[in-house]
Amino acid sequence: MLRIAVPNKGSLSGPAMAMLHEAGYQQRKESKELVLVDPENEVEFFYLRPRDIAIYVSSGRLDIGITGRDLLLDSGADSEEILQLGFARSTFRYATKPGTAKGPEDFDGKTIATSYEGIVAKHLADAGVSASVVHLDGAVETAIELGVAQVIADVVETGTSLRNAGLEVIGEPIMTSEAVVIRRTGAPGDDPKVQQFLRRLQGVLVARSYVMMDYDCRVEHLERAVALTPGLESPTISPLHHEGWVAVRSMVAAREAQRIMDDLYALGARAILTTAIHACRL
């Protein structure tokens, strides 16, 4: 069986299990379940702390796992990402009191508090900065007020919590992160079970990003309509009972669907419909 690590809690857990369910895999019903066997799909899921997943995968005990890019890099584990999953996106940045620093070039001799000391230490080393890094688990924005550090490095979404703590974001982002599928570095890339798993997740990503669009169009407007809806290879076109009309079916990007419908209607297309795609293979 393919052995897969799944986050057991936190912001990664729910979306990861939802994606796996959409991909046709069984998922646990109780949070206390640590292992779930899906015999139909020949997969065994292990629900682990997100921070530990890269380490388990790098050991070879588990074949692949789902975790955050930030957690993968911070672990220093011998694992690599093989697929981006598009959820749990975040930006990792420095912050400090206004006016005290402009960026890492001002950090020499300072102490930086973070929950991701591996990432920060490497970033400082790459920048040639000599600073101390202290590890804190969560709520690092209080470290400056309590005198533990002069700078923090943390995940920033809106920046509201930092502003509330009297801090400002400085410098360029250290990194951007999202959920990723990982495997042990150097593991064979042609494992058929792994490839099947990746195809299923890629199918979910495509299904979430596209809709199927159907519409009727006059033949004389067909070329312009097809230019709006080229599809992946090409659209499906079928003659209608009324002469001079055709039915067109094509996949279009969901974020552009409304604009495309407006443009098709202006062109003379009618009966324009969109339907969700629940699964696909490209």
Side-chain angles (χ1 to χ4, degrees):
M1 284 193 171
L2 190 66
R3 295 158 66 88
I4 302 173
V6 182
N8 67 346
K9 60 182 179 180
S11 61
L12 289 165
S13 181
M17 288 192 290
M19 177 170 277
L20 291 169
H21 179 74
E22 288 180 52
Y25 295 103
Q26 295 182 30
Q27 286 299 289
R28 66 180 185 176
K29 294 181 174 60
E30 299 290 338
S31 60
K32 293 182 180 180
E33 291 183 76
L34 302 180
V35 181
L36 183 142
V37 178
D38 183 351
E40 285 190 14
N41 292 299
E42 298 184 340
V43 172
E44 192 171 9
F45 293 104
F46 294 82
Y47 298 90
L48 305 170
R49 289 180 70 246
R51 271 193 178 275
D52 297 336
I53 287 176
I55 297 171
Y56 279 105
V57 172
S58 69
S59 73
R61 301 291 183 180
L62 301 179
D63 299 300
I64 52 179
I66 296 175
T67 189
R69 181 183 296 122
D70 52 353
L71 298 175
L72 165 64
L73 297 179
D74 192 60
S75 72
D78 195 19
S79 299
E80 60 184 1
E81 69 175 76
I82 54 175
L83 180 65
Q84 300 173 12
L85 298 179
F87 63 85
R89 289 192 172 101
S90 62
T91 304
F92 195 57
R93 307 193 67 166
Y94 293 112
T96 187
K97 287 186 177 180
T100 58
K102 294 182 179 180
E105 65 274 10
D106 300 322
F107 292 170
D108 276 316
K110 296 184 183 295
T111 300
I112 302 171
T114 183
S115 300
Y116 300 82
E117 67 270 29
I119 293 175
V120 173
K122 183 178 185 305
H123 188 261
L124 294 173
D126 291 344
V129 175
S130 178
S132 300
V133 180
V134 59
H135 175 85
L136 294 176
D137 282 321
V140 295
E141 60 267 18
T142 61
I144 295 178
E145 181 181 352
L146 296 176
V148 174
Q150 293 81 47
V151 182
I152 66 167
D154 201 8
V155 172
V156 177
E157 294 182 2
T158 63
T160 301
S161 61
L162 293 177
R163 287 192 295 272
N164 290 341
L167 306 178
E168 67 175 1
V169 171
I170 58 173
E172 296 296 317
I174 302 170
M175 67 169 293
T176 57
S177 182
E178 66 180 288
V180 294
V181 179
I182 65 170
R183 69 180 174 195
R184 181 167 54 87
T185 303
D190 57 354
D191 185 324
K193 291 183 178 179
V194 173
Q195 291 304 312
Q196 181 187 67
F197 178 78
L198 294 178
R199 280 195 300 272
R200 287 198 183 191
L201 294 190
Q202 287 166 337
V204 172
L205 291 172
V206 172
R208 289 177 172 183
S209 301
Y210 286 82
V211 295
M212 190 65 71
M213 185 170 288
D214 294 270
Y215 59 91
D216 298 341
C217 178
R218 292 285 305 176
V219 172
E220 58 265 31
H221 302 315
L222 181 59
E223 289 305 315
R224 283 189 290 167
V226 167
L228 294 170
T229 59
L232 298 184
E233 279 80 27
S234 65
T236 300
I237 300 172
S238 307
L240 293 177
H241 179 69
H242 291 290
E243 188 174 350
W245 284 84
V246 292
V248 183
R249 164 168 277 206
S250 182
M251 286 175 63
V252 302
R255 67 179 182 277
E256 299 177 0
Q258 292 294 333
R259 177 188 59 79
I260 292 172
M261 292 175 78
D262 290 340
D263 292 344
L264 287 171
Y265 191 88
L267 192 63
R270 294 295 182 266
I272 309 169
L273 308 173
T274 61
T275 53
I277 301 170
H278 296 292
C280 71
R281 296 290 185 276
L282 299 182

